[in-house]
Amino acid sequence: MNGLCGGRWWLAGLVAMVGCLLSDHAGVAQDDDPPPPNEPAEQVEEDRSGEFVAARVRVPLPITGSVDANIKNSLQNLLARVSGDGERPTVVLEFTVDAGKSARGSEFERSLSLARFLTSRPMSQLKTVAYVQGSLQGHAVLVPLACEQLIMHPEAEIGSAGIDEENIPETIRLAYEEIAGYRNVLPVPMALAMLDQDQQLFLVNDQRFEDGEEYERLKAAGEVAKSDRIVARGEPLLLTGRDLRQRYNLIGDLAEDHGQLAERLKVPEEQLRRDFGMDRDWKPVHIELHGPISNRMVQRVTLMIQSAIEGGANFLLLEVDSSGGDPIACENLVNFLISQPQEVHRVAFIPREAAGNASLVAFACHEVVVGPDATIGGEGGYTYTAAGREDLRRFLQRVAAKSGRNWSIWAAMSDPELEVFTYQRKGSASRRFLSSEEAEGLREPELWQRGDEITQPGQPLRLTGQQAFDLGIANSLASDLEEVARGYALPDRIETPRSNWAHELIEVLSSPSLAFFCLFLGVLALMSELKAPGVGIPGFLAALCFGLFFWSKFLNGTAGWLEVMLFLGGIVFILMEVLILPGFGVFGLGGGLMVIAGIVLAMQTFIWPTTDYELDQIPYSLASVLVLFGALVSGMLFIKHLLPHTPLLNQTMLGTMDAEEAELRGRREMIVDLSHLIGKQGTTLTPLRPAGKARFGNEIINVSSDGDIIDRDALVVVKSVRGNYAMVRGVATPETNS
């Protein structure tokens, strides 16, 4: 019986060995088989990019409230997508700290619950990778210990797990031993040293990490040839990614961004862009960008977004249906969107069209959702010149790092001359769509192999929604807003802010025709005020018109305090020239130039043109100068010929007098006639500096010298008289001559 059994085992072993050899041979043959000649490598990658290869789930810190439950729900949703064929999909748990929060404060029970879920049997269908970008402290350290792999930013930190505990009970200690020992991502003694500051940690013989007690035992046994104390008793253990990789060789990779992370994991980068941790407490707001993009639209949208974020919104759903427009307005909108706080999630939804530079809105968002029949890029509402295309490239290069995207394919949607190719990293599933210029700027350009061109000569890149999704430019497809909401677990009804009366008034006032009218009427009213006695209706009207002009430009984003101060300063200098310091006209000329400069700058978004588009805007700015001069000429003609004969309005100005009326008015104003004193001599009773009193016979009158200072008791002669005083000059006496 034993011999029979032994023969059966021998036969079974022989069969198994043959099977292994055949399977190994088949496997080698399969690996060595090249792809079919008529199927390019890019097509193979495209087919894989449509599969569930990788996903990213953001873990907000600290782990409190429902964070653990939300992450579990997200992971269960990903488990439902696993087909069971091929390699396990990779799930990256990204640890970040929301603004205004601290990495500390994670609850032990919730952290342990999430860690145990990661080590459960169902999660074996996914390859879990912890990616630490900031400082990870407190009991949240348990979660990366439960993952299969740990990747960190070089400057990121992990440790001080027990920082929120006054004493470390045995229950917590055993939990750390359990989780750290299950995966062994970090050695158990190191995990316990991170938990308990009373725990020492030594690196023994460059191979083993031991606590203080075990180190002393090994040392007593003579088994310690070399040792390095990593942390002493009473000190917290907080290690950077660079330390763990380069000094202790405990983690295999470092990654500074999602691009490097995709390269390290050999997964498509586009699949790591979307955050699948969507079961968070989203407060969404729906913003519509319909029609041509202009400064007025951008100003209205930015005001809405600012108000929504101040009200607690943290999810911006930007619905884009536009053919593009003003390039400066598009760039301003991009800058505004990428400058929003990190916790505000931005999603661009393109149901129909985002042509030309309207596609830049999607470039500034975290994720892009498109309709299957939508179009992105192509001919839009604005055609860039050669210089404008160069300006667009420089702008996208500048902001690409902040947006987390490659700039080439987005520039090609407005630039018909830019060539974009498919680049695939050798030995990796990662691919990118780059121009030759951007490809040369990669960290390791020699590892990227250029494939087919995706652009057509002389035409801007235009993609359908399905093409954008297949290429990984879009993250998902959706036919309507409700489908987008379901994909992100948003409420069925999403608030859509509407313009209030102030926003609508700004739009009306921002129209060029009305702005020019306010400017024209303001100058006309100001000139009328200068002819009116005191301050009256023209002055009020001038202040109102100029106030509306600058207020609309200020809120429309084309004017600031510089323009307002230039204009007001110019008006002050002109009044000084007219009323206080009449002279050579320096203040008047300078004030006029300041007024013109303030108005011109208020009509544009730049001080000095530096781009092709800004040069095109100069004629429109100079048109304001023509309007200004036209208002001056019209004002002078109106005041001289029409205003004096206009009922009611002629009462608001000072009329001019002819010679006869002026002489009659002078005679009426005379109280005393002193014409008989002309040519007569008298004696000063007071010093004349230049006015004073003098005696002429029996008459004492008010006199004024012709400019010289005359002493008391000096001899003077009357040159002329006016009203009740006389103009005199000194008479030289023999004593004076001597």
Side-chain angles (χ1 to χ4, degrees), residues 108 112 115-116 142 145 169-181 192 195:
F108 169 72
L112 178 60
R116 284 180 171 162
L142 270 173
L145 293 179
E170 190 64 21
T171 305
I172 295 180
R173 189 184 307 274
L174 292 175
Y176 273 79
E177 288 183 4
E178 172 195 345
I179 299 301
L192 293 176
L195 173 66

Side-chain angles (χ1 to χ4, degrees), residues 80 188 204 207 215 293 409 537 610 651 668:
V188 173
V204 179
Q207 295 178 345
Y215 169 75
I293 297 179
I409 194 168
I537 296 177
T610 57
Q651 304 297 323
R668 289 176 178 175

Side-chain angles (χ1 to χ4, degrees), residues 21 66 131 140 166 172 208 229 239 278 349 369 371 416 462 531 583:
L21 290 174
S66 60
Y131 179 44
E166 294 184 3
I172 295 180
R208 302 168 56 180
R229 185 169 66 178
L239 298 175
M278 291 300 160
F349 174 45
V369 182
R462 183 176 182 270
K531 293 288 292 181

Side-chain angles (χ1 to χ4, degrees), residues 675-686:
S675 59
H676 63 282
L677 296 179
I678 296 177
K680 291 189 176 182
Q681 294 185 354
T683 305
T684 59
L685 299 179
T686 62

